[in-house]
Amino acid sequence: MKNKHSLSSLLYSKKFLMVVSVLLAFVIWGMFSIYKSPETQQVIKGVPVTIDMGVPNQLGYEAFGTEKNMTVDVTVQAKRYLFADKTMKAENFKAVAITSNVSRPGAYSLNIKVTPPSDTNNIKIISKSIDSISVYFDVPSTKEYKIEPVLKNTNIINSNTDFLVDTPVLSEEKVTIKGPASEMGKIKTVSAVASVQEQKKESFTLNPKFEVKDSSGNDINYLSYNIDVDNIFMTVPIYKILTLPTGATFENAPAYYVKNPIKYEINPKTIRVGVLSGIADKAKTADLVKIDFSSLHGGVNTFVFDENSIADGFKLLDENQKINVKVNVGNVKSKELQISPNNIKFNNLKPKTKAKILSNNNVKIIILGPATEIADLETADIMANIDLKNADVGTHTFPISIGVKKNYCWAYGKYQSQVIIENAN
């Protein structure tokens, strides 16, 4: 009875009735506002576009010529309050390029169908910034091509001057091209094309236009590449023609021969040769050949060099020109020694890895030098450097660079060793 009396008193309370009335008024006002809310239009920008690959996949086709991260701007009409909803975002709309008409290889114009968020009612799609996209469908084909450098202006130098222009050199020599099989079959030339108007006396670099053309000289479309074809650079070498004494240099020489170069005979003694413009002004001799001390044995050593084996920066003007070099090392002694594991240095080892020589891969080195030094030569005098070139975990074979702690001695021959690279604990 007491609870019934309390409820009855509450229902006849003016304050209670006033609070209830206000709450009901807010509810009715909110419902009326939603129902009578005016419609408005807004543009939903950047709705992602996807391609329905159902039919193309059944035919074994891929889509070519599409942009990455394609989007469409959609004009939407809905009641104003709906635009405050979190679902009215670009990522919640679906824009799909319809492929139901794809039946054979070729280019298709695909209509874009936009669907609003599934949990939102009363949303009308008024318009789209694009109604369709062009896509090429076909079986994919991939092939590697050599890029041909093409320099259109051949009058770069004055014909009356002692300069010559060599074949342009590209920063990228090859490219892997992927595209529709029907278009790939049309490829006739793959080139990097550049032109220059003014005359030059020094080597220079250009940013050529990458071109893929058919037999009629037309561009081939719908292709993709494994390199950035817009950032290929073309270097055009220009040589100054000089007549200089012919010379040779020696690499990896023992300490004594660094300060006192070994004597040699070279023919021809002077030569008319092209020298890169950047070093021509400082060139006193044409040091055309490089000889590694590891190739020198006792007695007389004979070498023959041609245009394919001369030093960088020089160009033989006669393609049949030969450079003959004779080096008389004299009477030397030899000793065969094994490399101590403690004297092996590994360079360019990947972080968190360790390396060691394969246990059954004992490398013996032939050392040449005068009898006095050879007699005192020990294993501890042989140093080895191995460039691991950031190789991955596994067993690899690398060349060995040999050093000798003697003034007159050197390692004869080329050596390599198997190296085990493991994860470090």
Side-chain angles (χ1 to χ4, degrees):
M1 291 294 293
K2 184 175 181 180
N3 290 338
K4 185 176 180 181
H5 177 73
S6 298
L7 180 60
S8 176
S9 300
L10 188 61
L11 290 173
Y12 286 99
S13 170
K14 291 182 178 181
K15 290 183 179 180
F16 174 75
L17 292 175
M18 185 178 294
V19 171
V20 172
S21 299
V22 170
L23 290 173
L24 285 173
F26 272 112
V27 172
I28 294 170
W29 175 81
M31 294 176 65
F32 182 80
S33 296
I34 292 174
Y35 181 74
K36 290 295 185 178
S37 175
E39 289 191 336
T40 186
Q41 293 184 4
Q42 284 192 23
V43 177
I44 308 298
K45 293 188 174 183
V47 176
V49 177
T50 59
I51 299 174
D52 177 13
M53 291 298 294
V55 172
N57 283 342
Q58 293 177 18
L59 299 171
Y61 294 166
E62 286 188 13
F64 299 94
T66 60
E67 297 179 7
K68 289 183 178 180
N69 304 317
M70 291 184 298
T71 62
V72 60
D73 297 339
V74 182
T75 301
V76 175
Q77 180 174 303
K79 292 185 179 296
R80 182 177 297 168
Y81 76 89
L82 289 175
F83 288 104
D85 196 307
K86 291 182 179 179
T87 60
M88 295 288 275
K89 303 292 182 183
E91 58 268 23
N92 294 322
F93 282 74
K94 291 183 180 179
V96 180
I98 306 302
T99 59
S100 56
N101 62 332
V102 174
S103 58
R104 65 184 65 183
Y108 290 82
S109 179
L110 307 180
N111 292 326
I112 298 175
K113 180 181 179 181
V114 178
T115 305
S118 58
D119 58 347
T120 305
N121 299 318
N122 301 317
I123 300 175
K124 298 178 181 178
I125 306 299
I126 303 301
S127 63
K128 304 180 287 290
S129 57
I130 54 172
D131 292 313
S132 62
I133 58 173
S134 180
V135 181
Y136 198 104
F137 291 97
D138 197 356
V139 175
S141 176
T142 302
K143 188 177 179 180
E144 184 180 73
Y145 293 86
K146 181 181 178 181
I147 307 173
E148 295 294 336
V150 178
L151 188 62
K152 290 187 175 180
N153 184 3
T154 57
N155 298 317
I156 298 172
I157 60 172
N158 189 324
S159 59
N160 296 322
T161 59
D162 289 330
F163 291 89
L164 66 87
V165 180
D166 202 7
T167 304
V169 179
L170 298 175
S171 58
E172 299 285 351
E173 295 183 351
K174 297 179 181 179
V175 60
T176 299
I177 303 177
K178 180 181 179 181
S182 53
E183 292 295 295
M184 291 285 289
K186 300 176 183 177
I187 295 178
K188 182 68 175 180
T189 61
V190 178
S191 55
V193 183
S195 62
V196 60
Q197 303 303 319
E198 68 273 16
Q199 292 187 337
K200 302 281 189 178
K201 288 187 177 181
E202 292 186 353
S203 303
F204 59 95
T205 300
L206 300 168
N207 184 206
K209 180 183 178 183
F210 182 79
E211 296 181 352
V212 181
K213 294 186 178 293
D214 62 17
S215 58
S216 300
N218 299 315
D219 292 329
I220 297 179
N221 301 313
Y222 309 111
L223 305 177
S224 60
Y225 315 101
N226 68 324
I227 60 174
D228 184 357
V229 296
D230 293 326
N231 280 304
I232 296 175
F233 294 96
M234 175 189 291
T235 299
V236 183
I238 294 184
Y239 293 85
K240 188 174 183 179
I241 301 173
L242 299 172
T243 299
L244 296 169
T246 314
T249 58
F250 293 83
E251 298 179 323
N252 300 314
Y256 173 80
Y257 293 108
V258 172
K259 295 182 179 180
N260 304 277
I262 193 168
K263 297 186 183 304
Y264 60 90
E265 295 179 16
I266 189 166
N267 283 295
K269 297 187 182 303
T270 62
I271 191 168
R272 190 168 178 266
V273 66
V275 186
L276 271 182
S277 53
I279 61 175
D281 293 339
K282 299 178 181 179
K284 302 300 181 184
T285 62
D287 292 330
L288 297 178
V289 299
K290 292 182 178 181
I291 299 174
D292 196 304
F293 244 81
S294 64
S295 64
L296 297 178
H297 55 72
V300 178
N301 298 261
T302 302
F303 303 92
V304 179
F305 297 87
D306 59 20
E307 62 175 356
N308 297 314
S309 54
I310 65 170
D312 294 338
F314 295 94
K315 182 176 179 63
L316 298 181
L317 301 182
D318 181 358
E319 63 180 12
N320 297 317
Q321 177 78 64
K322 305 293 183 185
I323 310 297
N324 297 282
V325 183
K326 185 182 291 185
V327 184
N328 190 347
V329 174
N331 185 25
V332 294
K333 298 296 182 181
S334 67
K335 180 179 282 189
E336 189 176 68
L337 294 171
Q338 187 171 312
I339 304 173
S340 169
N342 296 328
N343 287 359
I344 298 175
K345 181 181 179 181
F346 295 108
N347 299 318
N348 296 316
L349 181 64
K350 268 190 174 181
K352 298 182 180 180
T353 61
K354 59 183 179 180
K356 63 181 180 180
I357 298 292
L358 197 64
S359 59
N360 62 350
N361 187 224
N362 298 323
V363 180
K364 293 185 178 181
I365 310 297
I366 298 174
I367 307 298
L368 301 181
T372 52
E373 284 199 344
I374 289 292
D376 297 333
L377 195 65
E378 298 178 348
T379 300
D381 295 320
I382 310 302
M383 309 298 294
N385 283 280
I386 300 178
D387 185 358
L388 300 181
K389 301 178 180 178
N390 293 307
D392 294 325
V393 169
T395 301
H396 308 269
T397 301
F398 297 101
I400 307 174
S401 176
I402 306 296
V404 184
K405 294 181 180 180
K406 295 291 182 180
N407 287 329
Y408 295 86
C409 294
W410 68 94
Y412 175 68
K414 300 292 183 183
Y415 301 92
Q416 59 184 21
S417 179
Q418 286 186 295
V419 178
I420 301 174
I421 301 177
E422 303 172 317
N423 289 317
N425 294 330

